[in-house]
Amino acid sequence: MNPVVSIITPSFNRADIIHETAESIFKQTYPHWEWMIVDDGSTDNSWELIKSYAEKDSRVRVFQRDRDPKGAAVCRNIAVEKATGKYVIFLDTDDLLASFCIEQRVKAAESEVNADVVIFPMLMFKTEPTDLGLLWNIDKDRDDIERILFGDAICQGTGTIWKRDKFLEVGAWRQDLAVWQDVELHLRTMIGDVIYKKRMDLKPDIFLRISDVSLSRTGYHSINKWRSRVKVLLQTIEGLKEKGQLAKYIHGIQNVAVDLVTGGVKSGYWAEVSDLTKTLGRNGVLNESQQTFFKRYMLFRRLKGYKINSLDRLFDTRIQKMITPYDNTLNKVVYEGEIVI
């Protein structure tokens, strides 16, 4: 019996382009799917559009978010909970599936019988699926957790197929984050006991739309997004400590920590930065000298010493020396194979 795949889509004010996403689903060569769409309180005519898809095809199931907080993570979790498929695929309303996507992913998932999640390559585009020809993710001869910590992620949520039961078992999407939801999910599962396989040898099967304005990068240093990244960092530290692997990944952890502390200081989150540096010190991420340096850096910023360019450069030079260099070749790799739509 062919397994059903649940395509999970949060929807918010995408009436202008969701028809493209819908068309890519209806063109799938694998017919055993259900499209689970959860609307997040759209104020355009998105809700009417997705209801029309459900009226035309019984495989489309539509819902409205029925609990807080607002956001894509909550909508995805609601959809997964209501889904009936053996597998789940995450698809946003601005991205597109290649026509063979579900067929390819089911075949790979069924062949990797021990895997809880399988990872696939994705292509980026702006207007048409073939207009960039750039891979979003590539495989490398480096540790995957280390890569994520250095901002060199091996996939987005859209680049995977999960066993639905396992996804719920590991806790699904974390709903209290304003940013880094994918980063948190993949770090949590890779540090944990999730078995994952990479199939970067296969054809790219999802087209990821690249916008000139990124919602995740807008207001990146706002307090809510800064706090979210701190939550992910501290959770990751605890997870690595439990596995006895903190020392193995300490350089990546330190890079994230230095970036967060520096960004917090520049944004004026004095009390929270002070608490964070103390916590990082207790966990062996920042040594006493580094903690003392950041106390001085906070005082320097509070007194607006950054207006003295020479002093500001001295602090920046010291901060750069705390960071481990990493060759992050990402989002610039041309796909050399045939792009199949």
Side-chain angles (χ1 to χ4, degrees):
M1 184 175 180
N2 294 311
V4 173
V5 176
S6 301
I7 307 164
I8 307 299
T9 299
S11 176
F12 180 71
N13 286 356
R14 288 293 193 174
D16 56 332
I17 57 175
I18 194 173
H19 63 282
E20 297 178 35
T21 305
E23 185 178 354
S24 77
I25 292 173
F26 294 133
K27 285 183 176 180
Q28 288 302 297
T29 57
Y30 187 87
H32 309 289
W33 52 261
E34 61 176 3
W35 188 15
M36 309 290 293
I37 314 173
V38 177
D39 185 77
D40 197 23
S42 295
T43 55
D44 61 4
N45 65 327
S46 297
W47 177 240
E48 287 71 25
L49 274 175
I50 63 177
K51 282 196 298 183
S52 72
Y53 301 143
E55 291 168 359
K56 295 175 183 177
D57 194 318
S58 61
R59 294 174 296 179
V60 181
R61 302 173 60 197
V62 300
F63 308 89
Q64 291 180 308
R65 178 176 54 81
D66 57 5
R67 66 175 186 252
D68 291 331
K70 177 179 172 59
V74 177
C75 292
R76 293 186 187 111
N77 285 347
I78 291 171
V80 175
E81 291 161 13
K82 295 179 181 293
T84 63
K86 177 181 179 180
Y87 298 107
V88 294
I89 289 175
F90 298 102
L91 179 68
D92 288 343
T93 48
D94 54 349
D95 300 329
L96 309 175
L97 299 180
S99 59
F100 61 90
C101 176
I102 299 180
E103 182 176 2
Q104 171 169 275
R105 292 194 179 191
V106 168
K107 183 178 180 180
E110 293 284 281
S111 66
E112 302 284 0
V113 292
N114 294 322
D116 301 310
V117 57
V118 184
I119 298 171
F120 301 84
M122 304 177 295
L123 281 176
M124 297 184 292
F125 78 104
K126 279 198 170 184
T127 305
E128 300 293 333
T130 59
D131 62 10
L132 292 180
L134 297 176
L135 284 161
W136 190 94
N137 56 334
I138 60 174
D139 204 6
K140 293 183 180 179
D141 188 22
R142 301 195 72 152
D143 183 276
D144 291 327
I145 294 175
E146 178 185 74
R147 286 182 61 184
I148 296 173
L149 291 172
F150 279 99
D152 186 13
I154 63 169
C155 69
Q156 271 200 347
T158 50
T160 60
I161 186 169
W162 276 85
K163 289 179 179 175
R164 173 182 173 273
D165 291 347
K166 187 64 177 182
F167 183 76
L168 290 172
E169 179 186 318
V170 300
W173 294 93
R174 184 165 172 173
Q175 299 179 169
D176 63 335
L177 300 178
V179 72
W180 273 17
Q181 293 93 340
D182 286 29
V183 172
E184 185 279 329
L185 174 64
H186 296 136
L187 282 172
R188 169 164 43 98
T189 55
M190 289 178 181
I191 293 170
D193 298 321
V194 172
I195 299 173
Y196 72 98
K197 298 290 183 181
K198 294 179 289 183
R199 290 303 308 270
M200 300 305 189
D201 57 306
L202 297 176
K203 294 177 181 178
D205 59 13
I206 276 190
F207 302 99
L208 191 71
R209 193 184 301 264
I210 302 302
S211 171
D212 292 330
V213 178
S214 169
L215 292 178
S216 63
R217 301 299 300 184
T218 301
Y220 190 63
H221 294 290
S222 66
I223 188 63
N224 287 338
K225 291 186 177 182
W226 185 84
R227 285 171 177 163
S228 291
R229 290 186 289 139
V230 169
K231 288 178 182 178
V232 175
L233 172 62
L234 297 182
Q235 174 183 289
T236 302
I237 290 171
E238 289 303 311
L240 291 172
K241 285 172 62 179
E242 288 178 11
K243 294 291 183 178
Q245 294 185 320
L246 182 58
K248 178 179 179 179
Y249 297 105
I250 191 63
H251 295 303
I253 290 290
Q254 287 174 335
N255 276 29
V256 177
V258 169
D259 179 65
L260 279 169
V261 171
T262 303
V265 170
K266 289 182 177 180
S267 298
Y269 308 146
W270 316 120
E272 293 189 273
V273 169
S274 179
D275 290 341
L276 176 59
T277 54
K278 291 174 184 176
T279 300
L280 294 172
R282 288 194 298 269
N283 283 283
V285 176
L286 296 180
N287 58 36
E288 289 187 12
S289 175
Q290 291 168 326
Q291 292 177 70
T292 299
F293 167 80
F294 281 118
K295 287 179 182 178
R296 292 172 178 167
Y297 187 48
M298 275 194 284
L299 180 61
F300 170 75
R301 297 289 301 191
R302 294 185 77 165
L303 295 176
K304 299 183 179 181
Y306 53 83
K307 292 183 177 181
I308 304 174
N309 292 334
S310 58
L311 290 178
D312 200 31
R313 285 195 296 270
L314 285 175
F315 275 99
D316 284 343
T317 299
R318 174 68 188 278
I319 290 168
Q320 287 302 311
K321 288 181 179 179
M322 297 183 190
I323 297 173
T324 302
Y326 182 90
D327 179 17
N328 186 349
T329 306
L330 186 65
N331 294 0
K332 298 295 182 183
V333 179
V334 176
Y335 178 62
E336 297 181 351
E338 179 186 5
I339 299 176
V340 181
I341 301 174

